[in-house]
Amino acid sequence: MVIKSDEEIDLIRISSLMVSKTLAYLASILEVGLTPYELNLKAEEFLKDNKAIPSFKGYRGFPSALCVSRNEAVVHGIPDKLPFKETDIVSIDCGAYINGYHGDSAYTFAFSEVSNEVKDLLFTTKESLLRGLAILKAGVRQGDLGFEIQRFCEDRGYSIVRELVGHGLGKSIHEPPDVPNYGKKGKGLIFKKNLVIAVEPMVNLGKKEVIMLDDDWTIVTKDRMPSAHFEHTVCIKLEGCDILTSFDPIEKSIEKNNNLINI
Ligand code: MG
Ligand code: MG
């Protein structure tokens, strides 16, 4: 695990806030009829205008700046040309690289006619992330964080994806350690001060099993029921953690966009 200097953390904060700004911009233009393909072009333009490089484009051959994962898609959706519908939920995952460092964040958006059942899935996923971060500080173990997220989601009847986990990041978009969204208290590696990690619960309405589509990227639920995904980049401190990305600008954009509802 790579421990960062305070100077490096300031640089990761800049990249992280760029991701939040990009997601907030995308939240302002999301509308029924728009396609993920068009949305991705807008994101690439926005990042370029802000002198940021998309972290995901070209990563292991991934073709776009954004992962756009709709409804039963969990993560790693390749932006397609199917227009968004009023009943869709869509996870947008974005990474930005500036001055040698990456930031990473994801938010699942709900269009205006999403069912109450699915809205609760989104609320629970986001809340599980915040509850996990609330206990995170130096000395906490992988299993402690995972347990907190898993317990909250499973108590509400949802399931946690096992195959995909959060990760360290900095000079690379994916660094050790793994940050699972499940686990047992007191187990696993101990998080240290100035470790930067992306915490990103992926939570399913139905069963936990997932499969990969033939495009070799998109992960979908095996039972094809909806899945939600929220992600923050955070820095671990002696007391608590410093959340380097922010949902505030995103939620301000959602508030002003009649196509979307705030969860
Ligand atoms: Mg991400
Ligand atoms: Mg990530």
Side-chain angles (χ1 to χ4, degrees):
M1 110 174 62
V2 189
I3 301 301
K4 271 71 182 180
S5 68
D6 291 341
E7 292 72 27
E8 287 182 293
I9 290 163
D10 285 339
L11 291 173
I12 299 172
R13 190 189 307 278
I14 292 170
S15 306
S16 298
L17 287 176
M18 178 54 61
V19 176
S20 305
K21 212 172 122 181
T22 306
L23 290 173
Y25 164 67
L26 298 174
S28 76
I29 62 167
L30 263 181
E31 63 177 340
V32 170
L34 186 77
T35 69
Y37 182 82
E38 292 164 329
L39 190 73
N40 177 66
L41 290 181
K42 291 287 193 183
E44 292 194 6
E45 203 175 275
F46 188 86
L47 287 164
K48 196 174 171 196
D49 288 348
N50 285 281
K51 304 190 169 29
I53 294 165
S55 302
F56 304 158
K57 194 172 182 179
Y59 179 81
R60 294 183 179 168
F62 191 75
S64 55
L66 301 178
C67 298
V68 181
S69 310
R70 188 184 347 208
N71 300 328
E72 72 274 16
V74 180
V75 285
H76 304 167
I78 297 173
D80 59 22
K81 293 184 174 173
L82 288 175
F84 291 120
K85 294 191 292 195
E86 288 88 344
T87 50
D88 284 342
I89 55 166
V90 57
S91 153
I92 302 179
D93 194 345
C94 182
Y97 182 74
I98 311 168
N99 297 321
Y101 290 88
H102 294 275
D104 189 6
S105 183
Y107 197 97
T108 302
F109 297 91
F111 280 91
S112 57
E113 299 298 322
V114 166
S115 70
N116 287 335
E117 188 188 30
V118 175
K119 274 189 234 172
D120 189 66
L121 169 71
L122 267 52
F123 168 79
T124 301
T125 309
K126 188 174 98 169
E127 184 66 18
S128 76
L129 168 59
L130 301 180
R131 284 177 184 237
L133 299 185
I135 65 142
L136 193 56
K137 61 178 183 178
V140 164
R141 288 177 182 268
Q142 276 169 321
D144 299 324
L145 174 65
F147 177 84
E148 197 69 19
I149 293 170
Q150 181 180 12
R151 184 185 52 178
F152 185 72
C153 294
E154 289 183 352
D155 281 355
R156 294 174 70 98
Y158 303 118
S159 59
I160 300 279
V161 173
R162 302 298 203 276
E163 288 84 347
L164 299 132
V165 295
H167 51 93
L169 73 160
K171 286 185 177 167
S172 303
I173 184 73
H174 292 129
E175 295 179 356
D178 281 351
V179 182
N181 302 298
Y182 56 91
K184 291 196 169 71
K185 272 188 181 177
K187 299 281 182 196
L189 165 159
I190 299 174
F191 294 125
K192 298 214 171 88
K193 186 195 164 201
N194 279 17
L195 174 69
V196 176
I197 56 172
V199 184
E200 49 179 319
M202 289 150 256
V203 182
N204 298 347
L205 186 65
K207 295 200 170 75
K208 66 178 186 297
E209 284 75 21
V210 297
I211 54 167
M212 192 187 278
L213 294 185
D214 289 340
D215 64 14
D216 284 338
W217 277 107
T218 314
I219 306 290
V220 300
T221 55
K222 198 174 172 197
D223 59 15
R224 297 298 200 271
M225 287 178 72
S227 182
H229 176 218
F230 288 84
E231 176 179 27
H232 271 314
T233 294
V234 307
C235 177
I236 290 158
K237 293 293 176 192
L238 284 182
E239 288 306 321
C241 72
D242 190 358
I243 304 178
L244 303 178
T245 42
S246 174
F247 290 158
D248 292 345
I250 301 170
E251 287 167 358
K252 279 193 189 115
S253 293
I254 295 173
E255 203 61 53
K256 287 187 224 149
N257 183 342
N258 290 331
N259 286 268
L260 302 175
I261 41 176
N262 251 322
I263 298 302

